[in-house]
Amino acid sequence: MLARMVLTCLFALAAWPALAQAFPDRPIRIIVPVGPGGGTDIFARKLVELIGGSLGQPIIVENRPGGSGTIGTQAVIDARPDGHTLGFVWNTPITAAPHTLGARYQLDSYTPVMRVGYSPFALCARPDFPASNLQEMVARIRANPGQYTWGNEGMGGVMHLGVERVWRRLGLELTAVPFQGAGQTLPAFLGGHITFYGGSLTGAVPALRAGTAKCLMLTTPEGSSEAPGSQGLSTLGLADMAITIWWGLIAPRNVPSDRLERLTTAFSQAARQAEFASLMQQQAAMIQIETGDAFARSIRAEYEALGEVARQLNLLR
């Protein structure tokens, strides 16, 4: 009897590592803190498609819009830290919202997993707007102070902070109109409710291809071949004010390191597939994969820079 008990214990101990590594053991949930239709949602769903069944469990994408991304991001942070809930976010909820939108979380409230890429922000006008380049656009706005409106992905967001800084440097007066991502901003622009579309260049691609918009200003130093006629901030002598939208994966704090490693490997492999790179190019975005500590350092640098801008604009909350 004693020998049988010893053998039973030995078998149980031998099986323990396999049981402990049985992750994931149920479907993984990816929270996207914006509605369907914009670049954040598109990229998240493509990554999930490319991962397929490699993790051994289904991956469910859940859109949780609101609060310029803070509602969905908070849901990720509040989730059990077991690796079964992740967030696919753009930068506003994590580098701007803690300064300006009263978010309840800070830099150390989550774990950065991986950045996949970035795109310029764009200011786009309808084809009949009386300007054919960035300098003419600036001159037109200056001659008509307060007359024009521009949509953005949320007051106190990355684009709002970055572009308001440009307007102030140039002495321009426009009215900012906040939306919850390009999925809302673009229809409002196409419907004539705002003068300028403001958001990721990715979000403007459908209108550019349909000929219903011309993007005159990008927030990178240079223009982009994806937006013919566009010009970057270096045209205005403001290359130092460049800012982009980027996308990445975050997890709750304290997810076990072995689980994070498995998730990072799976998502990195998906992001490095030619099919994902092709999608990003189609959406006027650029691949830039960054993981772990390197990604965390990039987040911290942007967080601190945007905090300074928020202080200058008196937007701290």
Side-chain angles (χ1 to χ4, degrees):
M1 175 65 74
L2 179 60
R4 184 178 301 173
M5 291 176 63
V6 169
L7 285 173
T8 300
C9 290
L10 289 173
F11 281 126
L13 288 171
W16 171 251
L19 291 172
Q21 293 172 10
F23 167 79
D25 59 11
R26 60 182 184 276
I28 291 174
R29 180 175 57 148
I30 304 290
I31 294 177
V32 178
V34 71
T40 306
D41 182 65
I42 292 169
F43 295 143
R45 291 180 185 277
K46 190 63 175 180
L47 284 174
V48 168
E49 175 190 325
L50 292 174
I51 287 174
S54 65
L55 286 171
Q57 290 287 342
I59 304 177
I60 301 165
V61 176
E62 177 184 329
N63 294 95
R64 189 82 68 89
S68 294
T70 60
I71 292 175
T73 301
Q74 187 68 59
V76 176
I77 290 168
D78 291 341
R80 289 179 58 187
D82 57 11
H84 289 91
T85 300
L86 302 169
F88 191 83
V89 302
W90 78 108
N91 39 342
T92 279
I94 56 178
T95 61
H99 301 299
T100 61
L101 300 176
R104 293 189 288 115
Y105 50 83
Q106 297 295 329
L107 277 178
D108 60 354
S109 300
Y110 56 87
T111 300
V113 179
M114 181 185 72
R115 173 164 61 183
V116 298
Y118 70 95
S119 177
F121 287 113
L123 264 291
C124 307
R126 284 179 289 280
D128 60 351
F129 185 78
S132 59
N133 57 50
L134 180 52
Q135 294 93 329
E136 291 179 3
M137 171 184 150
V138 169
R140 187 77 184 181
I141 295 170
R142 181 170 286 121
N144 297 275
Q147 180 175 326
Y148 299 121
T149 56
W150 68 287
N152 60 71
E153 36 83 278
M155 299 295 282
V158 170
M159 182 180 191
H160 178 235
L161 293 177
V163 173
E164 283 291 351
R165 185 171 60 159
V166 172
W167 296 155
R168 288 185 171 225
R169 176 76 69 85
L170 296 172
L172 303 180
E173 295 180 29
L174 298 90
T175 301
V177 182
F179 294 93
Q180 293 290 339
Q184 290 185 7
T185 312
L186 189 62
F189 164 73
L190 294 175
H193 303 294
I194 51 177
T195 313
F196 299 110
Y197 163 86
S200 69
L201 181 55
T202 295
V205 164
L208 288 173
R209 291 179 179 161
T212 54
K214 55 183 179 183
C215 291
L216 299 174
M217 185 178 98
L218 300 186
T219 60
T220 42
E222 307 300 332
S224 169
S225 60
E226 302 298 328
S230 65
Q231 294 175 293
L233 295 178
S234 61
T235 302
L236 303 173
L238 301 177
D240 61 312
M241 291 190 167
I243 188 79
T244 66
I245 179 173
W246 52 257
W247 301 274
L249 200 68
I250 63 170
R253 283 187 63 190
N254 299 322
V255 173
S257 59
D258 59 331
R259 297 188 175 196
L260 277 178
E261 183 177 353
R262 185 166 188 204
L263 292 167
T264 301
T265 298
F267 279 91
S268 295
Q269 288 174 347
R272 288 187 170 94
Q273 291 189 37
E275 192 173 343
F276 188 72
S278 176
L279 172 66
M280 292 204 82
Q281 184 177 17
Q282 292 168 17
Q283 298 295 323
M286 281 67 77
I287 287 279
Q288 186 185 55
I289 296 174
E290 196 173 51
T291 61
D293 290 342
F295 183 30
R297 287 192 295 271
S298 295
I299 288 175
R300 178 171 293 278
E302 183 172 291
Y303 174 90
E304 292 174 353
L306 291 180
E308 180 60 29
V309 176
R311 280 189 286 274
Q312 294 171 0
L313 298 176
N314 297 316
L315 291 175
L316 289 178
R317 295 274 302 268

